[in-house]
């Protein structure tokens, strides 16, 4: 059974800092890995999707890397801003079916202080 | 990007009543929709997967007779919580994907907060 772990559970940083969020998964046979953002009481916003054949993806100040063999992914946020405050979730699809059910990590709650 | 809506956004009901939550894909056809539940301070847990025109597949431990899922069209799936109890109070989120490719991303709805008194 796939298990996804995120470290740290919570992170508080001053504005402007570069930071790294970590995600690890137990079964390296994944098709892709996705990072999401969730604001309090809201749904999920997809940030980055990395295919298993890729090593990283970039979108603006966000950069996500994937190391399948070690079962790890990192989300790098450059020059953090208060608006980045949210919970960040990583997820991997599991199963061979086309449904690709997602297994989520517990999330990292990020607070960026002005 | 693709938009998924949910209705209602929040609902309060008495114990024993049934509550229906709608999930709609607004600008694409969703061959597959997923229903998740999220308890406070916890991550999302998949409840069931529904493919248009067929019966939903429930995850282990999820009672299919309690959580009725209907995916009658390519743009609408409904989750009905039957005879709701306080322990069913949670944040319910749906997602939708178009097509059958594994690498196709899922688009998430804004969630529905259910409070059962």
């Amino acid at each position: 059974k796939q298990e996804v772990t995120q470290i740290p559970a919570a992170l508080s940083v001053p504005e402007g800092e570069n930071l790294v969020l970590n995600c690890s998964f137990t079964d390296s046979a994944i098709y892709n890995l996705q990072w999401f953002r969730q604001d309090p009481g809201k749904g999920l916003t997809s940030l980055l999707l990395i295919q298993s054949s890729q090593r990283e993806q970039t979108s603006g100040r966000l950069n996500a890397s994937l190391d399948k063999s070690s079962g790890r992914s990192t989300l790098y946020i450059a020059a953090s801003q208060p608006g980045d405050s949210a919970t960040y979730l990583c997820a991997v699809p599991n199963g061979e079916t086309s449904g690709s059910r997602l297994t989520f990590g517990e999330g990292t709650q990020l607070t960026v202080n002005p | 990007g693709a938009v998924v809506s949910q209705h209602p956004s929040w609902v309060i009901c008495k114990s024993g009543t049934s509550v229906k939550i709608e999930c709609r894909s607004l600008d694409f056809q969703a061959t597959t929709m997923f229903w998740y539940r999220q308890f406070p301070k916890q991550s999302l847990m998949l409840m069931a997967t529904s493919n248009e025109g067929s019966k939903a597949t429930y995850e282990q431990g999820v009672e299919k007779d309690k959580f009725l899922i209907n995916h009658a069209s390519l743009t609408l799936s409904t989750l009905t919580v039957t005879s709701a109890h306080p322990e069913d109070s949670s944040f319910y989120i749906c997602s939708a994907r178009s097509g059958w490719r594994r690498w196709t991303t899922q688009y998430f709805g804004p969630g529905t907060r259910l409070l059962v008194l």
Side-chain angles (χ1 to χ4, degrees):
Chain A
K1 179 185 175 183
Q2 178 74 272
E3 293 182 3
V4 181
T5 305
Q6 291 187 244
I7 296 173
L11 184 62
S12 181
V13 300
E15 181 177 5
E17 272 203 11
N18 301 323
L19 51 97
V20 175
L21 308 182
N22 298 291
C23 172
S24 61
F25 44 93
T26 55
D27 185 350
S28 61
I30 61 171
Y31 298 107
N32 56 52
L33 183 144
Q34 199 161 0
W35 283 93
F36 294 90
R37 168 186 173 138
Q38 185 177 30
D39 293 289
K42 304 291 185 182
L44 274 66
T45 301
S46 177
L47 298 174
L48 291 164
L49 173 72
I50 313 177
Q51 302 296 346
S52 60
S53 58
Q54 298 175 319
R55 286 200 167 267
E56 65 177 60
Q57 277 280 4
T58 298
S59 176
R61 294 182 293 108
L62 305 179
N63 176 277
S65 66
L66 175 62
D67 184 343
K68 270 187 62 176
S69 60
S70 66
R72 293 177 183 175
S73 176
T74 61
L75 178 66
Y76 177 82
I77 303 177
S80 58
Q81 302 172 359
D84 295 331
S85 299
T87 296
Y88 291 80
L89 298 161
C90 69
V92 295
N94 56 312
E96 293 287 337
T97 66
S98 57
S100 294
R101 313 181 313 276
L102 291 178
T103 298
F104 283 85
E106 295 284 337
T108 293
Q109 186 174 352
L110 172 65
T111 302
V112 181
N113 302 300
Chain B
V3 178
V4 176
S5 70
Q6 281 185 241
H7 178 79
S9 57
W10 60 270
V11 58
I12 302 174
C13 68
K14 293 182 179 180
S15 184
T17 60
S18 294
V19 175
K20 179 183 285 188
I21 303 170
E22 293 185 349
C23 176
R24 293 181 185 273
S25 56
L26 298 185
D27 50 3
F28 67 101
Q29 292 185 327
T31 50
T32 305
M33 287 186 170
F34 303 86
W35 286 95
Y36 296 85
R37 181 168 51 182
Q38 185 179 34
F39 292 107
K41 302 295 184 182
Q42 295 186 22
S43 193
L44 280 73
M45 295 297 293
L46 180 67
M47 298 175 65
T49 302
S50 73
N51 296 305
E52 186 266 339
S54 62
K55 290 184 178 180
T57 303
Y58 290 81
E59 295 299 302
Q60 192 172 8
V62 178
E63 301 174 57
K64 62 180 181 180
D65 294 330
K66 181 170 183 60
F67 299 98
L68 301 178
I69 292 173
N70 183 281
H71 191 168
S73 77
L74 285 172
T75 59
L76 173 65
S77 176
T78 60
L79 168 68
T80 301
V81 183
T82 62
S83 187
H85 289 97
E87 59 264 31
D88 298 322
S89 298
S90 186
F91 192 51
Y92 292 86
I93 303 177
C94 73
S95 70
R97 56 181 284 153
S98 174
W100 299 99
R101 296 176 179 176
R102 298 185 186 96
W103 54 85
T104 306
T105 192
Q106 294 180 26
Y107 298 96
F108 284 79
T112 296
R113 188 163 301 282
L114 171 63
L115 177 61
V116 184
L117 302 177

